[in-house]
């Protein structure tokens, strides 16, 4: 029989004895938080003397009454009590936090290194380094002498290398418990106490065991669970969000979720956000968290007759099988275990469970915290301690560069990468003297030796964080950062390389198909959802329809669906069983597990004694089938072959008295009535109206054909009003649609071409009131892929850009014309030449143009880094192919050799 008991210990000391007669107690054991106990005990009961002064109380469990064990997070501190002097029963109530609560009594001291803006820096530090700094320094001061830990600066408590490193600034006086919980909230660590020992693990490792497979833990109603209340709320729901960032950046996004009272809006204001990729990522996180009712599952457990017991079989953090909403068994994660014991000695409790939607919400919240800052302080924000520095000095290299990559799904359903880079502030120049920093410049390149670097972000003064997106998933990128001071570029930091993880998460398993057979064909339908009414994610591409003969297995794909609907399977022999199931596929090619299957056989068009196709229209004489030969209701739609009712079998004029209805007269139907032709959906709402006056209204898809070259208006699955132009194969359409989310309150027309044969290029045109764009993009990555033109009321930009950040552009405005990029020549035309040549180890040089000029050019050049710096340089003998570079010492018998970086500007005539 499962039972629990309480044991008293001296503070940081040995066992004092059993607390045998509690009136009642309750313990809560949450994941990644401090446990707590409430205890009621009479001063007249045996053992009360052990509670008379501060002590420790441990809870132990046993399933046989012989062997007892103290589970994790089960040591508590008797530090708060309450009683009433008038209570003759002498009942005292104790509130006991977990042993780890003492971490709030450990605070961070300034440390040996100088503070940065009043904060202590942890540069490129592991979680173990940060936490061990708190604990070791505290114990050196005499605090928490009996607290132990099982991790170090290199490995976690499971002896695994730390998965993440951080650059973080903490204010002296911050307590260790706040730091511990904050790191867990950002998905950096998981933690728990075992007795007086702190265990800290990499996030989602030891404390994220999967108990849904072998050994499978399944809590069942009536056996392990006796009550299953659910609490749901729509308080945080929203279907649209406005993101406001720096430099006037504003962007609205909507999810298309239908909420009961219509559109509900949310707001995100975040400094440092100025690119659409990061804004979309923040909006996506907010909208996914707010897209549905948030439900907490509390399951009251009983140890009497239960198959699975807490702590023995499952613990906080485990994923188990348990009753979800409606009692259906589903994978749920244990977020808290609560155990109780009443005055009669009856043991009970409950578990708080999160479904996969709440777990996804928690992950999104943690990811958002990482983007917008979380516990990472801004570093050099605020005033510097030193006065302004003179011009011309070079800033030291930034330390502690950390780049955190994230993979997200963009508005088109494709996986993209985003990075958040943080680093330590620079407060000194290369000689160690104090210096003021104007800004920081973040550079990026493909992580390939020799690949060019590109400037991707420039921060405001004092800001030591930058975000950048989109990036191609599956690629490695290298980053480095430098400071600038009064226009002088500083030294670069050490490089930091990251891999943008590919999207390897498949869509939810689709619900089982719904099959039916009539008129000799099979209909396979799908409701557009995953198991448990889960909506398909943004990167969902299609659902594949599979079929096989169950008596002779061999699966074959027979079609696909891109939204709720059905397909028709023809050509199957009558009476032979066919099995159907579905799998969901996303844009990255990830495929779900198979859905449940459905089995059906095609039925013949005519049932009974008549052989297949034995009765045709020609075999029935005119007027041979009369009313007296047909029972009421005997002829149904399923008994009439296609094209069998022809004009010669009908009267010349059919008079319509009321209406002709195909379908349910009160639900889904097509109807011909006195007003015209109409169609209605399953809810009875009219979707098609063709009136006798010539007015036509259609809700839903309208196509000029089923196959071949065709035009489709408002295609099924489209989220915005849209027209598609499909070629003969129908797989690579051009699109014209209206997007109301690009500019709030404005209808923006977007045109996209089909994708080229290599799948890497697509033309897109955007028409907005104050923005017109034409550009070539990569349809998979969304990155620029060629020429472009941007028009705004105060600006025109024309140029070229691609995924490798090769940028050449002209930007025209009322104030000036700007050019960025490089010039090149293919023939004898005139133009400006800009070139840089590295020369070293000589006393004079012949510099070649690498091609022949039409005329001898006029040249302006600068020579950087002369060694020694007393050398002066001049050019001699310019021709159409080269010139000589000589120093002031070149005429000496033993001239000084020099090294130089030559930067040239020449006008080619």
């Amino acid at each position: 029989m499962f039972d629990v008991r309480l044991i008293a210990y001296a503070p940081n000391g040995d066992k004092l004895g059993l607390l045998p007669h509690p009136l009642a107690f309750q313990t809560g054991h949450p994941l990644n938080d401090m446990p707590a106990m409430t205890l009621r005990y009479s001063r007249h009961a045996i053992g009360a003397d052990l509670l008379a002064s501060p002590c420790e109380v441990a809870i132990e469990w046993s399933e046989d009454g012989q062997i007892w064990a103290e589970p994790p997070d089960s040591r508590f501190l008797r530090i708060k009590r309450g009683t009433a002097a008038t209570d003759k029963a002498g009942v005292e109530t104790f509130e006991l936090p977990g042993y780890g609560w003492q971490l709030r009594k450990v605070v961070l001291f300034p440390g040996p290194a100088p503070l940065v803006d009043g904060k202590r820096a942890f540069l490129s530090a592991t979680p173990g380094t940060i936490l061990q700094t708190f604990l070791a320094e505290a114990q050196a001061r005499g605090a928490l002498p009996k607290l132990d830990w099982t991790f170090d600066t290199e490995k976690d408590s499971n002896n695994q290398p730390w998965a993440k490193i951080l650059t973080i600034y903490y204010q002296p006086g911050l307590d260790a418990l706040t730091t511990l919980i904050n790191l867990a909230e950002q998905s950096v660590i998981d933690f728990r106490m075992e007795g007086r020992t702190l265990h800290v693990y990499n996030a989602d490792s030891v404390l994220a065991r999967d108990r849904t497979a072998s050994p499978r833990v399944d809590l069942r109603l009536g056996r392990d669970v006796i009550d299953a209340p659910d609490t749901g709320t729509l308080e945080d729901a929203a279907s649209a969000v406005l993101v406001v960032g720096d430099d006037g950046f504003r962007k609205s996004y909507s999810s298309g979720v239908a909420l009961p009272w219509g559109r509900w809006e949310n707001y995100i204001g975040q400094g440092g956000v100025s690119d659409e990729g990061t804004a979309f990522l923040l909006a996506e996180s907010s909208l996914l968290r707010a897209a549905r009712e948030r439900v907490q599952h509390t399951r009251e457990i009983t140890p009497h007759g239960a198959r699975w017991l807490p702590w023995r079989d499952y613990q906080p953090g485990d994923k188990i099988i348990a009753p979800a909403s409606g009692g259906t068994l589903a994978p749920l994660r244990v977020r808290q275990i609560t155990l109780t014991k009443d005055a009669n000695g009856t043991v009970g409790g409950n578990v708080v469970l999160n479904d996969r939607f709440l777990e996804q919400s928690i992950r999104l919240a943690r990811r958002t915290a990482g983007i917008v800052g979380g516990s990472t302080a801004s570093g050099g924000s605020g005033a510097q301690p030193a006065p302004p520095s003179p011009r011309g000095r070079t800033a030291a290299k930034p330390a502690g560069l950390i780049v955190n990559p994230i993979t997200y799904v963009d508005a088109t359903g494709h996986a993209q990468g985003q990075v958040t880079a943080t680093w330590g502030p620079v407060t000194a120049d290369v000689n160690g003297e104090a210096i003021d920093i104007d800004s920081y410049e973040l550079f990026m390149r493909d992580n390939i030796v020799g690949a060019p670097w590109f400037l991707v972000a420039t921060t405001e003064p004092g800001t030591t964080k930058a975000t950048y997106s989109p990036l191609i998933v599956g690629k490695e990128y290298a980053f480095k950062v430098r400071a600038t001071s009064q226009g002088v570029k500083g030294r670069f930091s050490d490089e930091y390389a990251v891999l943008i993880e590919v999207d390897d998460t498949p869509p939810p398993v689709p619900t089982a198909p719904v099959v039916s057979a009539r008129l000799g064909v099979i209909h396979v339908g799908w409701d557009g959802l995953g198991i448990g009414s889960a909506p398909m994610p943004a990167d969902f591409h299609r659902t594949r329809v599979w079929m096989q003969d169950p008596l002779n297995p061999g699966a074959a794909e027979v079609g696909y669906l891109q939204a709720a609907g059905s397909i028709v399977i023809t050509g199957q022999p009558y009476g032979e069983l066919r099995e159907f199931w579905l799998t969901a596929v996303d844009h990255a090619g990830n495929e779900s597990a198979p859905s449940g299957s459905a089995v059906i056989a095609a039925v013949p068009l005519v049932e009974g004694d008549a052989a297949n196709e034995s009765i045709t229209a020609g075999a029935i004489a005119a007027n041979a089938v009369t009313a007296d030969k047909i029972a009421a209701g005997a002829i149904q739609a399923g008994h009439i072959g296609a094209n069998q009712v022809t004009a010669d079998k009908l009267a010349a004029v059919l008079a319509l008295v009321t209406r002709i209805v195909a379908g349910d007269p009160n639900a889904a139907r097509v109807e011909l009535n006195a007003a015209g032709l109409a169609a209605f959906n399953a809810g009875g709402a009219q979707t098609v109206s063709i009136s006798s006056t010539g007015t036509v209204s259609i809700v839903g898809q309208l196509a000029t054909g089923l196959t071949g070259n065709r035009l489709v208006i408002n295609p099924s699955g489209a989220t915005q009003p849209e027209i598609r132009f499909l070629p003969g194969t129908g797989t690579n359409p051009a699109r014209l649609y209206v997007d109301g989310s690009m500019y709030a309150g404005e209808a923006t027309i977007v045109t996209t071409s089909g994708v080229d044969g290599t799948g890497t290029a697509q033309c897109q045109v955007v028409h907005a009131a104050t923005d017109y764009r034409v550009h070539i993009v990569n349809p998979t990555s969304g990155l620029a892929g060629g020429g472009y033109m941007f028009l705004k009321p105060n600006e025109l930009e024309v140029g070229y850009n691609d995924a490798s950040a090769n940028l050449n552009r002209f930007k025209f405005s009322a104030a000036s014309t700007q050019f960025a990029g490089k010039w090149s020549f293919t023939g004898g035309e005139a133009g400006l030449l800009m070139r840089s040549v590295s020369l070293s180890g000589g006393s004079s040089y012949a510099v070649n143009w690498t091609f022949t000029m039409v005329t001898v050019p006029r040249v302006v050049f600068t020579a950087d880094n002369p060694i020694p710096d007393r050398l002066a340089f001049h050019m001699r003998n310019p021709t159409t192919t080269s010139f000589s570079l000589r120093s002031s010492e070149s005429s000496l018998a033993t001239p000084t050799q020099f090294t130089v970086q030559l930067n040239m500007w020449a006008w080619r005539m």
Side-chain angles (χ1 to χ4, degrees):
M1 175 69 69
F2 182 85
D3 198 5
V4 292
R5 70 181 187 182
L6 302 180
I7 303 293
Y9 288 82
N12 290 335
D14 297 330
K15 181 186 296 186
L16 297 176
L18 179 68
L19 298 172
H21 299 299
L23 295 175
F25 69 83
Q26 175 177 302
T27 62
H29 310 265
L31 176 64
N32 289 330
D33 208 339
M34 277 299 105
M37 173 191 288
T38 58
L39 169 64
R40 298 177 67 246
Y41 213 95
S42 172
R43 291 192 300 272
H44 308 306
I46 297 174
D49 58 310
L50 302 180
L51 295 170
S53 58
C55 64
E56 298 173 17
V57 177
I59 183 172
E60 295 181 346
W61 69 274
S62 174
E63 58 179 317
D64 58 8
Q66 302 297 319
I67 301 175
W68 294 85
E70 179 181 335
D73 277 337
S74 296
R75 183 69 62 94
F76 302 91
L77 304 174
R78 203 240 78 177
I79 59 176
K80 185 177 181 180
R81 63 187 179 89
T83 187
T86 57
D87 182 9
K88 295 183 179 181
V91 176
E92 288 190 294
T93 301
F94 301 91
E95 297 180 13
L96 301 87
Y99 188 90
W101 174 89
Q102 296 180 90
L103 292 172
R104 71 185 298 180
K105 298 301 184 180
V106 170
V107 299
L108 183 66
F109 277 49
L115 298 180
V116 179
D117 288 346
K119 297 178 181 178
R120 186 168 175 178
F122 292 88
L123 304 179
S124 299
T126 65
T129 300
I130 297 170
L131 295 173
Q132 188 162 292
T133 298
F134 275 81
L135 301 177
E137 290 183 358
Q139 288 192 339
R141 297 189 297 267
L144 303 187
K146 293 299 183 181
L147 178 73
D148 197 5
W149 57 91
T150 58
F151 56 88
D152 58 28
T153 60
E154 300 294 331
K155 295 183 179 180
D156 72 354
S157 294
N158 195 36
N159 202 34
Q160 296 299 309
W162 289 110
K164 295 184 178 181
I165 57 175
L166 305 93
T167 292
I168 292 182
Y169 297 81
Y170 286 134
Q171 188 82 32
L174 179 71
D175 66 85
L177 181 58
T178 299
T179 303
L180 185 69
I181 295 175
N182 181 264
L183 292 174
E185 288 175 343
Q186 292 194 70
S187 198
V188 175
I189 61 167
D190 291 331
F191 71 89
R192 69 183 181 191
M193 295 292 300
E194 294 189 16
R196 299 178 179 123
T197 303
L198 175 62
H199 294 251
V200 181
Y201 306 95
N202 284 317
D204 297 325
S205 58
V206 173
L207 300 190
R209 302 182 304 176
D210 189 353
R211 289 292 191 255
T212 62
S214 180
R216 175 186 169 103
V217 176
D218 55 339
L219 304 185
R220 295 181 178 269
L221 289 171
R223 184 191 68 188
D224 311 275
V225 176
I226 58 177
D227 196 10
D230 293 329
T231 302
T233 178
L234 283 169
E235 292 172 299
D236 298 325
S239 56
V241 62
L242 173 65
V243 180
V244 177
D246 287 341
D247 300 326
F249 180 90
R250 285 169 174 77
K251 188 76 174 179
S252 64
Y253 301 87
S254 60
S255 63
V257 172
L259 296 175
W261 288 274
R263 178 183 171 105
W264 283 3
E265 298 176 331
N266 202 353
Y267 168 83
I268 298 175
Q270 181 55 47
V273 174
S274 59
D275 69 290
E276 289 198 15
T278 301
F280 178 84
L281 200 154
L282 294 175
E284 177 202 33
S285 299
S286 174
L287 290 174
L288 285 176
R289 293 197 303 272
R292 57 184 288 127
E293 182 182 46
R294 296 173 63 86
V295 180
Q296 176 177 290
H297 308 287
T298 303
R299 300 295 176 255
E300 185 176 352
I301 58 175
T302 174
H304 309 292
R307 179 180 180 185
W308 307 107
L309 298 177
W311 298 117
R312 186 193 72 180
D313 301 309
Y314 59 90
Q315 64 186 21
D318 286 352
K319 183 188 290 185
I320 63 174
I321 301 296
S325 297
T328 304
L329 292 178
L332 302 171
R333 192 177 187 193
V334 180
R335 277 284 159 180
Q336 178 169 315
I337 294 176
T338 300
L339 295 177
T340 62
K341 194 171 186 177
D342 61 20
N344 298 321
T346 303
V347 177
N350 61 69
V351 292
V352 176
L353 305 169
N354 279 2
D355 60 24
R356 67 182 189 86
F357 298 106
L358 277 179
E359 286 298 305
Q360 180 188 44
S361 176
I362 291 172
R363 289 195 300 272
L364 290 172
R366 288 171 168 175
R367 183 178 72 176
T368 303
I371 296 171
V372 302
S375 67
T376 305
S378 62
S381 60
Q384 299 290 341
S389 303
R391 297 183 59 86
R393 292 190 294 123
T394 303
K397 71 178 185 180
L401 173 63
I402 300 292
V403 181
N404 180 35
I406 292 174
T407 301
Y408 68 97
V409 177
D410 67 12
T412 68
H414 294 87
Q416 306 282 13
Q418 186 256 14
V419 293
T420 299
T422 58
W423 57 89
V426 175
T427 59
D429 65 8
V430 292
N431 296 317
E433 298 180 8
I435 190 172
D436 283 334
I437 301 303
D438 301 332
S439 65
Y440 294 91
E441 297 177 340
L442 180 67
F443 285 75
M444 179 197 77
R445 73 172 182 182
D446 293 343
N447 192 27
I448 300 172
V449 176
W453 290 93
F454 299 97
L455 175 65
V456 294
T458 302
T459 72
E460 295 296 323
T463 300
T464 57
K465 180 204 290 257
T467 58
Y468 181 73
S469 63
L471 296 168
I472 300 174
V473 298
K475 287 191 65 174
E476 284 190 0
Y477 295 92
F479 295 85
K480 62 182 180 180
V481 65
R482 70 183 178 189
T484 65
S485 176
Q486 299 181 358
V488 177
K489 308 298 185 183
R491 298 279 176 83
F492 276 110
S493 69
D494 295 335
E495 295 178 20
Y496 194 102
V498 296
L499 171 67
I500 306 299
E501 297 287 346
V502 298
D503 174 20
D504 57 1
T505 303
V509 176
T511 55
V514 177
V515 296
S516 61
R518 62 187 181 91
L519 299 179
V521 298
I522 298 174
H523 294 258
V524 182
W526 177 52
D527 61 7
L529 300 174
I531 291 177
S533 299
M536 285 295 152
D539 61 345
F540 168 73
H541 183 244
R542 69 186 188 281
T543 293
R544 304 173 73 183
V545 182
W546 299 89
M547 181 185 76
Q548 72 174 6
D549 181 347
L551 302 179
N552 184 24
E557 184 179 359
V558 294
Y560 66 88
L561 292 161
Q562 292 185 301
S566 64
I567 64 171
V568 177
I569 309 299
T570 61
Q572 301 303 308
Y574 298 145
E576 294 191 14
L577 295 177
R578 293 293 181 263
E579 182 180 14
F580 296 90
W581 67 92
L582 310 173
T583 59
V585 182
D586 63 21
H587 280 281
N590 300 307
E591 189 163 5
S592 74
S595 71
S597 63
V599 178
I600 199 171
V603 297
L605 179 63
V606 178
E607 298 181 357
D609 296 334
N612 293 342
E613 301 180 2
S614 61
I615 300 178
T616 63
I620 303 176
N623 302 317
V625 180
T626 57
D628 61 322
K629 296 182 175 63
I630 303 174
I635 298 180
Q636 300 178 2
H639 298 144
I640 303 175
N643 302 319
Q644 298 304 300
V645 179
T646 56
D648 61 324
K649 297 176 178 61
L650 302 174
V653 176
L654 292 177
L656 180 61
V657 178
T658 55
R659 59 178 181 164
I660 298 176
V661 177
D664 187 334
N666 298 312
R669 65 191 185 275
V670 176
E671 177 178 310
L672 181 64
N673 53 42
L677 179 64
F680 301 82
N681 63 19
Q686 187 169 353
T687 56
V688 177
S689 172
I690 303 178
S691 69
S692 58
T693 62
T695 302
V696 178
S697 299
I698 298 177
V699 178
Q701 178 174 302
L702 173 63
T704 59
L706 297 177
T707 59
N709 294 326
R710 62 195 184 279
L711 177 71
V712 180
I713 300 175
N714 203 26
S716 176
T719 59
Q720 303 282 3
E722 181 174 328
I723 302 175
R724 291 185 185 173
F725 305 85
L726 289 95
T729 59
T731 60
N732 190 8
R735 302 168 60 208
L736 174 63
Y737 61 93
V738 176
D739 191 336
S741 65
M742 283 189 175
Y743 300 91
E746 178 184 329
T748 301
I749 301 175
V750 181
T751 305
T752 62
S753 71
V755 181
D756 73 340
T758 65
T760 60
Q762 183 180 46
C763 181
Q764 187 179 77
V765 182
V766 178
H767 306 250
T770 59
D771 196 356
Y772 177 83
R773 302 184 175 209
V774 181
H775 50 192
I776 304 296
V777 298
N778 185 310
T780 301
S781 66
L783 298 177
Y788 68 90
M789 179 171 65
F790 297 161
L791 286 80
K792 296 183 178 181
N794 58 356
E795 187 176 278
L796 165 64
E797 183 174 335
V798 180
Y800 172 88
N801 198 0
D802 58 27
S804 299
N806 295 312
L807 178 63
N808 290 276
R809 72 176 184 193
F810 277 102
K811 184 180 288 187
F812 303 92
S813 67
S816 64
T817 299
Q818 302 175 4
F819 172 75
K822 53 191 175 183
W823 300 89
S824 63
F825 298 92
T826 58
E829 72 273 16
L832 180 64
L833 166 73
M834 292 179 283
R835 186 166 175 240
S836 181
V837 180
S838 179
L839 308 173
S840 62
S843 58
S844 64
Y845 297 95
V847 181
N848 295 314
W849 295 122
T850 70
F851 46 80
T852 301
M853 297 285 193
V854 178
T855 60
V856 176
R858 303 299 298 269
V859 183
V860 176
F861 68 88
T862 61
D864 294 342
N865 304 325
I867 302 176
D869 58 6
R870 69 176 182 270
L871 299 178
F873 299 93
H874 61 279
M875 64 172 290
R876 295 183 61 191
N877 305 319
T879 69
T880 58
T881 59
S882 65
F883 68 88
S884 295
L885 178 67
R886 298 174 63 84
S887 76
S888 59
E889 297 186 353
S890 296
S891 59
L892 300 179
T894 306
T896 300
Q897 293 188 344
F898 56 86
T899 298
V900 65
Q901 182 74 26
L902 188 66
N903 304 303
M904 298 177 292
W905 293 263
W907 179 255
R908 179 176 176 177
M909 305 300 291

